[in-house]
Amino acid sequence: MALLSKKDRGLIMDPLADNNPITIQVLGICSALAITAQLKASIVMAVSVLFVLSVGNVVISLMRNIIPSKIRIIVQLVVVAALVIIVDQVLKAFAYELSKTLSVFVGLIITNCIIMGRFEAFALGNGPYRSFLDGIGNAAGYGAILIIVGFSRELLGSGTLLGFKVLGDPIEKTGLYAIGYENNGFMLLSPMALIVVGIIIWVQRSRNKTLIEEN
Amino acid sequence: MEHVELFFKSIFIDNMVFATFLGMCSYLAVSKKVSTAVGLGAAVIFVLAVTVPMNWLLDQYVLRPGALTWLGPEYAEYDLSFLSFILFIATIATMVQLVEIVVEKFAPALYTSLGIFLPLIAVNCAILGGSLFMQSRDIQTLGLAFNYGLASGIGWFLAILAIAAIREKIRYSNVPAPLRGLGITFIITGLMAIGFMSFGGMLTGGEEKTETTDEVAKVEVQSQDTVEEEESLAEVSQEINNK
């Protein structure tokens, strides 16, 4: 990190912890919850958002002085939609099965509040290089939560990670299953995503008391 | 009958918030007071009921493979469906602008209380999600598309109304400090979603699993099924061992 000044380092590191887009800024919740039943889908989603957010931030930051402020939302939507179409087409070409699993949620990156939120809060007021760092940082913070949730849901729900049976085989009773362990199928259902994120928030705020909200 | 079925299915079984997590951001941000929640919910119902049929027309006559045949036979093989994201979002942004103007003119009190959230409806995933699900679930007629938009909006409205009422009450309870605010809201929403899952058997009388056309739900249900199969297989093999 010697390449970056202290201020720039803050841009990348803050969203990973004390200013996390999901648990603190409450941005980009929808996709974080819907696709996290499998770790693989979570990782692909995190990478897609990383691409869209960092490139989009740079583009908006370059155009910030020529966009009339009244129509900026439409301009932003067009930039994001163009980037998301690229992601969607690439996914369809190289990972068709996965793009079926993600279904409409790739398209919903367009309306992922994290993207518009960062455009409004950062890219419209800062230069392209710092906006790029901000994009990387926030997408990484978002991805970190996604991967934690995906990891715990896939591990506890189906006993696999990225499709590998890490806890042994539930049918042949090897590994943990030999001593009576059972998968918790409930973890794969959508409500558990909410509860897992709730628990992450709980843990984070117990560790850092300054983040606690008034009622 | 088809209409009634789709209507109730969209409100309860495929509820936007509890089944597909659409529109979560504004759902969490605007649910502190019942009165603002009602305003935003009404705006969402209206925008969904207008944009879904409009995007249905776009999809039917411009975007899907072979949709341009009405221009002439030489256009029959055009497939513009890759443009659907950008056209849908453009329709939605225009409609939201229109709603904003109308609300500002006729209900200034509501306009000031909604504040920044009205323009944010444009980036509410529930709105774009409604159009995209309309496309992927292959809704057949314009009437059904309108019905789908309206019912999804009502489902979203119910969800935000319920959570806002609960959050108003929970202010008087002793919630553990780190869970206050956002954390407890997440957990309550999770519990409500579990409650809404019990509507799943409504259309089939609870005998069979409902067939959701939603891809994600399908995958989840499938993986759930395999887990159950594995469990029953495991039980059978255990019984054989015991014998």
Side-chain angles (χ1 to χ4, degrees), chain A residues 81-95:
Chain A
L83 290 169
V84 170
I85 289 176
I86 297 176
V87 171
D88 187 47
Q89 298 290 322
V90 168
L91 275 183
K92 275 192 183 138
F94 294 105

Side-chain angles (χ1 to χ4, degrees), chain A residues 52-67 71-80 83 115-116 118-128 131:
Chain A
V52 174
L53 187 54
S54 50
V55 178
N57 249 358
V58 172
V59 173
I60 293 291
S61 163
L62 287 173
M63 301 200 306
R64 70 186 187 280
N65 295 324
I66 52 169
I67 304 176
I71 59 159
R72 67 178 193 282
I73 290 192
I74 296 182
V75 175
Q76 290 165 359
L77 283 176
V78 171
V79 171
V80 186
L83 290 169
I115 302 209
M116 299 294 282
R118 290 328 291 175
F119 283 1
E120 288 279 308
F122 201 91
L124 280 177
N126 289 283
S131 301

Side-chain angles (χ1 to χ4, degrees), chain A residues 23 30 33 85 89 101 105 107-108 110-111 113 116 170 185 188-191 194 201-202 205-206 212-213 215, chain B residues 21-22 24-25 82 85-86 123 125 129 133 171 177-182 186 190 194 197 215-216 220 224 230:
Chain A
T23 59
C30 328
L33 300 172
I85 289 176
Q89 298 290 322
T101 319
F105 290 98
L108 288 174
I110 300 174
T111 52
C113 345
M116 299 294 282
L188 294 174
L189 298 176
S190 41
L194 284 160
I201 292 174
W202 191 356
R205 292 186 187 189
S206 329
I212 292 174
E213 291 175 53
N215 256 326
Chain B
F21 302 118
L22 296 178
M24 268 321 232
C25 308
F82 68 96
F85 292 159
I86 213 161
V123 286
C125 353
F133 273 125
R171 217 168 289 155
L179 264 181
R180 266 179 213 151
L182 193 58
F186 265 101
I194 295 174
M197 276 169 60
E215 296 284 341
V216 176
E220 288 186 348
Q224 175 72 3
E230 282 167 8

Side-chain angles (χ1 to χ4, degrees), chain B residues 67-180:
Chain B
L68 287 169
T69 326
W70 56 276
L71 278 177
E74 68 271 27
Y75 291 98
E77 54 202 52
Y78 279 59
D79 175 7
L80 295 180
S81 52
F82 68 96
L83 282 177
S84 50
F85 292 159
I86 213 161
L87 275 183
F88 284 179
I89 201 74
T91 320
I92 289 166
T94 324
M95 279 313 302
V96 168
Q97 205 79 47
L98 206 66
V99 173
E100 198 180 347
I101 294 167
V102 171
V103 171
E104 192 179 7
K105 173 95 174 129
F106 293 105
L110 181 63
Y111 182 76
T112 38
S113 74
L114 285 179
I116 186 174
F117 291 107
L118 205 54
L120 281 184
I121 287 187
V123 286
N124 187 330
C125 353
I127 311 288
L128 182 63
S131 292
L132 291 177
F133 273 125
M134 175 270 298
Q135 196 185 29
S136 73
R137 286 174 189 177
D138 211 13
I139 288 190
Q140 292 301 327
T141 65
L142 184 61
L144 281 176
F146 172 73
N147 187 335
Y148 177 70
L150 185 70
S152 306
I154 294 175
W156 200 87
F157 177 83
L158 276 184
I160 196 170
L161 190 62
I163 193 78
I166 294 177
R167 282 181 85 173
E168 275 197 1
K169 292 283 176 202
I170 215 162
R171 217 168 289 155
Y172 307 109
S173 336
N174 191 11
V175 180
L179 264 181
R180 266 179 213 151

